[in-house]
Amino acid sequence: GTVKESGEKHKGSVEIPNLSEENEVDDTEINVSKKKGEGDVLKDLMRTEGTTKVREALRDYLKALKTEFTLGMILPTKAAVGQEPAAERKLSGHTAQDFVSPQSSDTVGVKIPTVKIFMRETFNSPADELYSIFTTKELVQKFSKRPAVVEAEKGGKLQMFDGCISGEYAELVPSQRIVLKWRCRSWPDEHYATVTLNFKDTAAETELQLECKGVPVSNEDSTRQCWKQQYFEEIRTLLQQSKDNME
């Protein structure tokens, strides 16, 4: 820094050893030091008005960090997993069959905002056949085109797409419902969504209703695309191939 009156330049450093969101900014320790042999004017100024300015900058810095990290960049506490949504709202551009709702967490620690995704797809297949595609290892490997771990029982493990998707089966009602503890590898560690698949049989068709609760906000679009492209479109192709082979 430079002293305005004399034009003298001084060099030193500011050390902040205990910066944390657990501490109030006003309680943050700020140490000011200068290089040996240089004047004390700037050092004294930094210890008074300078310290106040540094704390103001830190307050803005922490606020900016928290804003950025609400996009899902901070790892959640284990207690943050599976919180229920506080409210639902329709977003512009989403249809009634395809919307998200904000989800808040009241847990202690860093909050990870999540959304609930709801999707509907109709398949030209009876419910029992569609159900089996999600619970039979050979069929999962056919539509995913990769080796998979499929233990279709309560507490059984699930792993697909070379480990990109993992989780476990939480509930299975044959031909009616599957509930999964489900996550993408790119999500924060130990963070799982709850996926519910409901199979509604209507004549020769089945409406599949998907509800995915607990998706990190920053991963909403990629999760939606994963289900749309890697699951639904590939399953539809598999069903068509099966039908063609029968004919």
Side-chain angles (χ1 to χ4, degrees):
T2 303
V3 179
K4 187 176 182 180
E5 288 78 11
S6 64
E8 292 180 1
K9 293 185 178 182
H10 302 279
K11 293 183 179 180
S13 63
V14 176
E15 182 183 9
I16 305 162
N18 65 331
L19 179 62
S20 167
E21 70 168 3
E22 296 177 358
N23 299 317
E24 294 294 331
V25 172
D26 292 336
D27 297 331
T28 300
E29 184 180 352
I30 299 176
N31 300 321
V32 179
S33 60
K34 67 176 182 63
K35 289 193 173 182
K36 188 176 181 180
E38 304 215 5
D40 293 326
V41 178
L42 191 60
K43 179 180 177 182
D44 292 338
L45 185 64
M46 283 299 298
R47 283 177 169 173
T48 54
E49 284 93 333
T51 296
T52 299
K53 294 293 185 182
V54 168
R55 286 201 172 102
E56 289 175 1
L58 292 178
R59 192 174 284 108
D60 291 340
Y61 173 64
L62 288 176
K63 184 178 179 181
L65 281 182
K66 289 178 181 179
T67 300
E68 272 197 341
F69 288 161
T70 57
L71 299 178
M73 295 168 62
I74 286 184
L75 302 184
T77 60
K78 289 187 178 180
V81 178
Q83 296 295 315
E84 288 296 319
E88 292 187 358
R89 62 183 173 87
K90 287 183 64 176
L91 302 181
S92 60
H94 292 278
T95 66
Q97 289 78 34
D98 188 7
F99 65 88
V100 298
S101 62
Q103 180 171 315
S104 62
S105 169
D106 295 326
T107 56
V108 177
V110 178
K111 297 180 180 180
I112 302 298
T114 60
V115 295
K116 178 172 72 175
I117 296 173
F118 185 78
M119 304 173 72
R120 285 193 180 103
E121 293 284 333
T122 301
F123 294 88
N124 187 21
S125 167
D128 58 347
E129 182 180 4
L130 188 59
Y131 176 91
S132 68
I133 289 178
F134 286 92
T135 55
T136 305
K137 180 178 179 178
E138 292 75 18
L139 295 176
V140 170
Q141 292 182 153
K142 275 189 176 182
F143 82 77
S144 66
K145 301 180 176 64
R146 292 177 179 87
V149 175
V150 180
E151 301 172 355
E153 60 184 16
K154 188 173 182 178
K157 300 302 180 185
L158 172 69
Q159 191 174 88
M160 300 173 61
F161 305 114
D162 299 324
C164 290
I165 299 297
S166 60
E168 66 180 48
Y169 291 88
E171 181 185 352
L172 296 106
V173 180
S175 305
Q176 296 181 36
R177 182 170 62 257
I178 299 172
V179 180
L180 300 167
K181 182 182 175 184
W182 187 94
R183 63 173 270 108
C184 294
R185 185 163 55 194
S186 61
W187 289 5
D189 290 347
E190 301 299 322
H191 186 91
Y192 287 83
T194 299
V195 171
T196 302
L197 300 168
N198 286 307
F199 302 84
K200 303 296 183 181
D201 208 340
T202 57
E205 294 184 336
T206 300
E207 181 184 83
L208 177 59
Q209 300 175 354
L210 176 141
E211 181 184 83
C212 192
K213 295 191 295 185
V215 178
V217 168
S218 58
N219 298 107
E220 178 201 339
D221 289 340
S222 60
T223 302
R224 193 184 300 280
Q225 289 301 314
C226 173
W227 281 99
K228 185 77 173 177
Q229 297 176 2
Q230 295 181 262
Y231 279 87
F232 299 153
E233 290 182 6
E234 295 297 335
I235 288 173
R236 194 169 275 112
T237 299
L238 177 62
L239 289 170
Q240 186 60 48
Q241 290 173 346
S242 177
K243 183 179 179 182
D244 292 343
N245 289 336
M246 288 180 65
E247 292 177 352

